[in-house]
Amino acid sequence: MTTLRIFEIFYSLQGESSRVGLPTIFIRLTGCPLRCVYCDTEYAFKGGGNMSVDEIMQEIKQHGTRYVCVTGGEPLAQKGCSVLLTSLCDAGYQVSLETSGAMDLTPVDTRVKVIMDVKTPGSGEMSKNRWENLPLLKIGDEVKWVVCSREDYDWARQMIAEQPFPADCDHLFSPSFNQVSGETLASWILQDQLHVRMQLQLHKILWGEKQGV
């Protein structure tokens, strides 16, 4: 029986990615090997409780949506995460995975929509980027860049041009909360005519920076 350390399971609106605004079940796994300077889920580094995959599946049945987001922390740091992802897909859920880009994507079910970070210099964890994941990205997957400064933006633009990202992979540019304004990032993107999707964190706009939303 596969068991995972779960920090929380909650129902909210998806705040990021191309599924923004959709009512979604969030399954947040405990733990993360990275320490990004802008992390907004430090509370999930420790704590939570053990749940079997069957218990998780039973818990989420109460919510009337087919969208599920598995997040963290870093969910792939737990070996049982791939089992959970496949179980969710088998049950008919539309599953997305939020991952740091530092873990191997090979075990992830191909039915899962991967939202993979690329860590910019300003994150403090750029050395953890696992570029070997790029060939594993597929149509419908998305790459997220959290931009902390103009230097981060220029670096991200350069990486998109130089690294072998799949042609059909969408790029999401997010301003780091309280470091770069949305207006500023938007002006850079428009000035450069950069073919990316800018996003703001809807859940923070609606409810502020707090847990469980």
Side-chain angles (χ1 to χ4, degrees), residues 19-54:
R19 292 180 176 173
V20 64
L22 291 172
T24 301
I25 302 162
F26 291 84
I27 303 173
R28 188 182 303 284
L29 277 63
T30 299
C32 183
L34 279 68
R35 292 295 183 267
C36 300
V37 299
Y38 50 68
C39 181
D40 56 5
T41 54
E42 292 180 1
Y43 54 81
F45 287 168
K46 298 179 180 179
N50 293 330
M51 295 182 70
S52 69
V53 170
D54 288 345

Side-chain angles (χ1 to χ4, degrees), residues 191-204:
Q191 182 177 11
D192 291 333
Q193 299 183 44
L194 199 60
H195 297 294
V196 300
R197 180 196 298 265
M198 180 179 155
Q199 63 172 15
L200 301 174
Q201 293 175 297
L202 177 63
H203 51 293
K204 290 185 181 179

Side-chain angles (χ1 to χ4, degrees), residues 94-113:
Q94 298 294 308
V95 184
S96 60
L97 169 72
E98 295 184 343
T99 180
S100 65
M103 312 295 293
D104 185 7
L105 293 178
T106 303
V108 177
D109 194 299
T110 56
R111 294 171 291 179
V112 173
K113 182 182 185 70

